[in-house]
Amino acid sequence: MKKYSSVIKMLGLLILIICIIPGNLFAQTVSGFHIAKVFHIVSSGGWDYIAVGPDNNRLYVSHGTQVNVLDETTGDSIGVIPNTTGVHGIAFVPALGKGYTSNGRLNNVTVFDLKSNLVLSQIAAGTNPDAIMYDDFSKLIITCNGRSNDLSLIDPSTEKLVATIPVGGKPETAVTDGKGKIFVNIEDKNEIISVDINSRTVLNRWPLAPSEGPTGLAIDIKNNRLFAGCEKTLVVLDATAGKVIARVTIGNGCDGVVFDPTLGFAFASCGEGVLSIVHETTNGEYALLENVPTKASARTSAINPNTHTVYLPAAEFQKNATAGTRPPVVPGTFQVLVVKR
């Protein structure tokens, strides 16, 4: 009887040890992705997009009336791009050594020097320019204008607005296939459009219903796939025919999607506080790999595909805000989450 009592005690001790082992030992994520660092930014204001600079180890964070420039490795401040009120996104033309910001409340684009961060000029765009991108095929800067429901095409070599393309709804995010087509989420119409950048016309309108509110958009150029972040769903489409291939359940509040071509992962940053990772399975379907815990409000993202690092801005919000309004950010809590393996 004493022998069995000793065995029972040993089993009990083993169970106790398992229960008290540090949680993170058993909380290792399936993908290996986790929050590795947090970069704190003390300036005040809201935010939207974040961007990884071209080969200069810099991170560009939209923040209120300016863009904060950080060292991508340490998070140290390198400088700011000022007077970008209502800034949404940041794009780059490495060949010209210039960066561009879409300033939603100024209805223009700021041009700045990538080495010095000095502002060079401002270019008129449509009303409330939101996302901004550079299309290397056409050599044009393109802004998605949320209130004028169109795209502004800007020639960065002359810094002139050269064309406007009406899109019939609110354009949220645009991506390029690098071969002459631009794909745009039309948020209020629950669709994706394809645009011929040469003829500057809308070619197709692809409905996403029953999925709603497409915001983030990414492209897998090699496999010709689009990933549209909708309400609690990542929609995967064929980029040629617009056929919906899959609808994968993700976190709530997605406002950004990025794609890692080496890993084959699509990352959807969701404001509820998760980074949903979607991948293609062995039988050619798409499925959720996992939801990596991040932070509530971490809804937009950028990726460095060379280091497989995802960056997500986030902050704390005041709890006593007026009902029906966006609560103000708690001063001093703005930060960038660094998620990597």
Side-chain angles (χ1 to χ4, degrees):
M1 190 71 180
K2 185 176 180 180
K3 177 180 178 182
Y4 290 112
S5 177
S6 298
V7 172
I8 291 172
K9 287 181 179 179
M10 289 179 65
L11 287 173
L13 180 60
L14 179 60
I15 291 171
L16 179 62
I17 291 172
I18 291 175
C19 289
I20 64 175
I21 286 176
N24 60 2
L25 186 60
F26 289 94
Q28 296 298 316
T29 59
V30 174
S31 65
F33 280 89
H34 63 285
I35 299 175
K37 298 178 183 178
V38 178
F39 298 154
H40 294 277
I41 300 175
V42 297
S43 57
S44 60
W47 73 93
D48 197 355
Y49 293 105
I50 183 172
V52 176
D55 303 323
N56 59 4
N57 197 40
R58 294 186 180 187
L59 199 61
Y60 297 80
V61 189
S62 65
H63 196 203
T65 61
Q66 64 186 34
V67 173
N68 289 73
V69 187
L70 308 181
D71 183 289
E72 189 183 349
T73 303
T74 66
D76 293 338
S77 176
I78 295 175
V80 299
I81 314 300
N83 303 321
T84 61
T85 304
V87 59
H88 287 281
I90 308 98
F92 312 98
V93 182
L96 299 178
K98 296 177 181 179
Y100 305 80
T101 72
S102 50
N103 309 322
R105 295 186 181 180
L106 301 177
N107 300 325
N108 65 18
V109 169
T110 292
V111 185
F112 65 93
D113 183 87
L114 287 176
K115 290 183 178 180
S116 66
N117 297 327
L118 291 176
V119 172
L120 302 175
S121 63
Q122 290 186 320
I123 308 168
T127 307
N128 188 30
D130 193 338
I132 186 171
M133 61 163 288
Y134 174 62
D135 174 35
D136 192 53
F137 177 86
S138 62
K139 310 299 181 186
L140 295 173
I141 290 286
I142 301 169
T143 65
C144 297
N145 306 313
R147 291 203 182 99
S148 52
N149 293 344
D150 52 28
L151 306 179
S152 291
L153 276 54
I154 295 171
D155 183 343
S157 64
T158 62
E159 299 187 359
K160 300 292 184 181
L161 177 67
V162 295
T164 299
I165 303 176
V167 295
K170 182 182 179 184
E172 181 68 14
T173 315
V175 295
T176 176
D177 68 355
K179 295 176 288 187
K181 287 186 180 179
I182 305 296
F183 303 95
V184 188
N185 273 344
I186 306 299
E187 184 179 15
D188 59 344
K189 302 297 183 181
N190 303 322
E191 65 184 13
I192 289 179
I193 64 169
S194 66
V195 176
D196 185 304
I197 199 65
N198 288 322
S199 64
R200 298 171 182 175
T201 57
V202 175
L203 297 175
N204 302 286
R205 295 186 178 276
W206 297 325
L208 299 175
S211 302
E212 298 181 334
T215 52
L217 184 64
I219 186 169
D220 174 1
I221 293 177
K222 178 182 177 182
N223 296 300
N224 208 36
R225 296 288 182 264
L226 293 169
F227 302 91
C230 298
E231 293 182 6
K232 299 182 180 180
T233 306
L234 186 72
V235 182
V236 186
L237 299 92
D238 179 286
T240 300
K243 178 183 177 182
V244 173
I245 296 171
R247 300 179 195 271
V248 183
T249 300
I250 58 174
N252 190 27
C254 174
D255 198 21
V257 181
V258 294
F259 181 74
D260 187 315
T262 302
L263 299 178
F265 290 170
F267 299 86
S269 46
C270 305
E272 74 167 64
V274 297
L275 181 65
S276 297
I277 304 178
V278 172
H279 71 131
E280 186 176 5
T281 63
T282 54
N283 59 1
E285 298 178 351
Y286 287 84
L288 179 72
L289 181 62
E290 73 175 315
N291 285 320
V292 177
T294 55
K295 183 180 182 66
S297 79
R299 67 188 191 278
T300 59
S301 52
I303 188 169
N304 184 330
N306 297 318
T307 62
H308 315 294
T309 304
V310 183
Y311 299 93
L312 305 97
E316 302 285 346
F317 289 100
Q318 295 182 14
K319 302 185 184 303
N320 58 349
T322 304
T325 64
R326 179 176 292 181
V329 174
V330 176
T333 65
F334 186 55
Q335 58 196 254
V336 174
L337 309 179
V338 182
V339 177
K340 60 191 303 184
R341 283 175 158 175

